[in-house]
Amino acid sequence: MSRRSLKETNEDTVRLLSATLDSPDPDSNEEGDVIFERISYGVNGGENQRKLSHEEAIEEAGFGLFHGLLLVVCGWANASDAVEILCVSFLLPTARCDLQLSSSDMGFLSASIFLGMMVGGYVWGCLADRRGRQRVLVVSLTVNGVFGALASLAPSFWLFLLLRFLSGVGVGGSIPVIFSYFSEFQPRLRRGAMISALATFWMAGNILAAGLAWAVIPQTSLKFELGWLDFQSWRLFVVLCSVPSLSSALLFALAMPESPKFLMETGQKTEALRVYQKMFELNHRGSIKTFPVCDLLICPQRDREGSVSSGTRCQSLLSIIREGLDPVRQIFVGPLASRSVVLLIIFFSISFGFYGLWMWIPELFKKLEDGGSPCASNTSLTHKQDADMCYPVKTAVYAEGFITAASNLPGNIFTILLMDFVGGKILLSCSLLLSSISVFFIWLLKTKTQSLIMSCIFSGVSVISWNALDVISTELYPTQLRSSALGFFTGVGRVAAIMGNVTFGQLVDSNCAVPVLLVSALLLSGGLAALKLPSTKQSELT
């Protein structure tokens, strides 16, 4: 190639790339670095302005250190949500005395965080699809941690209930958005295993909550007077449970980029290129290669829909509500309608079954510790007799909760190894059916050993269902609807969780066989419904 031809090629390339950047000066600072790297590749690499889609750019960025760091940060956020949700189940056997709770009150308390998650899930999900995943994660995790910590100072049941609800609003945003955010950084052939690995951090959060409860709540020496408040050890446990959420918010604010898929879909090509380049640099540490992307494919229609103009802020309340509900309408029309109906059934079934039963497992263990079966009626107990059972704290309840939480490990390993080979659909259906069978026998148990074994089986099998559902639900919807759809379905799940906790609260003292058998039936129906889902094994994100 002659000197003149080379010069003309470079000038044409600069003009083309300058048009895609926010800065009018293609030679300025960071934008200039990106441009000249791309010019060099276009001339010397022989690819001549090849345009890449998001999936192709992710493949070019490679797989390595960046994804490991991303897994740790997103995993810690997922674990923090688990800690915040499950901490109530571990403090109930003791806090019920200080807050003078009946079984019915405990059901409403367990349900309060799910009510908050129902509200927060859809609101945060819509905001994540319009304003960005990373920003929403920072705010929602902060809301979760702040109100979770403040709940420790609540002197009464109703104030504690309100603060747990507000904490749930934050949890409701972080859970669906974390999985959308994480999935959009993953290469197609590794996505299933990586999302399964992310889901295992729920087990880590469960173990952390159980371990903290075991270490802190029985320590009556931690009790002290705080003005008007008798600060018991379980209140310190509540404060400690808020630390993971607050630290996760800090990590996302300081260290994590926005999703490049979201940036591309909203026309922010320059910012997307920076993220891809950063991924490439971390995944190819020590290499002299530069990120080999010449241009990115941008969807003009999504660019217009995803942008947020200043006029949006001046819309009437009715228009804003209509705009917020539009994603729900979209997931229930056309080719998305059938899969949405099936997911509706599955989310309701698994949430009613898992959260309705799981939140009450420590209380069922306590009944066995006091003597009798988990479904034995104890309505004849007076309030004073029931209060006397709280102190001294029986550590066996927390030890058994810790063992049950740890039993998730085999299921998590199983899904990581097989998700990309078997596919989420088969794993989801089979694990729900096995969960149904394991729950069916809980109401027949007579001894602590039997109850512990069956709880471990249920825990180990049901976690496969959750992991598979996390993978499938992120792959069934396009980018502009992904977080909204997950927010909506997790909201449905929260309704089911509320119903499950209230149902157990009303019947656990009189006839707990009814909710246990209902859980079994719902899990069975969810397993059968899962067979109607399309296969998403190793599919590309749209």
Side-chain angles (χ1 to χ4, degrees), residues 16 215 226 304 331 333 409 454:
L16 176 63
L226 185 64
R304 292 193 299 270
I331 65 176
V333 297
L409 183 59
M454 193 56 65

Side-chain angles (χ1 to χ4, degrees), residues 371-408:
S373 71
C375 283
S377 173
N378 62 357
T379 53
S380 61
L381 290 174
T382 65
H383 178 74
K384 182 179 183 305
Q385 287 173 321
D386 189 54
D388 290 341
M389 292 181 181
C390 295
Y391 296 101
V393 178
K394 298 175 180 178
T395 59
V397 173
Y398 302 108
E400 289 156 358
F402 183 86
I403 293 171
T404 305
S407 65
N408 283 338

Side-chain angles (χ1 to χ4, degrees), residues 41-121:
Y41 183 76
V43 175
N44 300 325
E47 299 263 347
N48 291 327
Q49 303 308 315
R50 181 167 60 104
K51 289 190 175 183
L52 299 184
S53 67
H54 165 72
E55 293 284 352
E56 292 170 329
I58 285 290
E59 293 292 339
E60 292 285 1
F63 184 87
L65 178 61
F66 174 86
H67 293 86
L69 296 174
L70 180 72
L71 177 62
V72 171
V73 175
C74 291
W76 182 238
N78 192 28
S80 71
D81 290 333
V83 170
E84 198 63 42
I85 292 173
L86 299 174
C87 77
V88 170
S89 68
F90 291 109
L91 62 84
L92 282 180
T94 303
R96 66 181 302 175
C97 298
D98 296 325
L99 297 176
Q100 299 181 355
L101 306 181
S102 65
S103 292
S104 236
D105 291 334
M106 290 192 292
F108 287 116
L109 180 57
S110 297
S112 63
I113 192 168
F114 296 109
L115 180 61
M117 291 169 71
M118 178 185 69
V119 174

Side-chain angles (χ1 to χ4, degrees), residues 495-509:
V495 173
I498 292 169
M499 295 174 64
N501 276 281
V502 171
T503 301
F504 267 87
Q506 297 294 327
L507 298 175
V508 71
D509 287 335

Side-chain angles (χ1 to χ4, degrees), residues 260-319:
K261 177 69 170 172
F262 172 82
L263 293 172
M264 282 186 64
E265 291 288 324
T266 52
Q268 301 178 65
K269 185 184 295 187
T270 304
E271 290 77 6
L273 280 169
R274 289 174 183 159
V275 176
Y276 291 129
Q277 187 175 31
K278 188 65 176 178
M279 293 173 63
F280 184 90
E281 290 172 357
L282 287 175
N283 290 334
H284 296 83
R285 293 180 66 193
S287 173
I288 61 173
K289 295 189 298 183
T290 57
F291 182 49
V293 170
C294 297
D295 204 355
L296 300 174
L297 292 173
I298 299 294
C299 175
Q301 182 178 2
R302 173 63 183 129
D303 184 16
R304 292 193 299 270
E305 293 176 354
S307 61
V308 182
S309 65
S310 58
T312 302
R313 300 184 180 90
C314 302
Q315 289 178 339
S316 66
L317 178 61
L318 183 61
S319 298

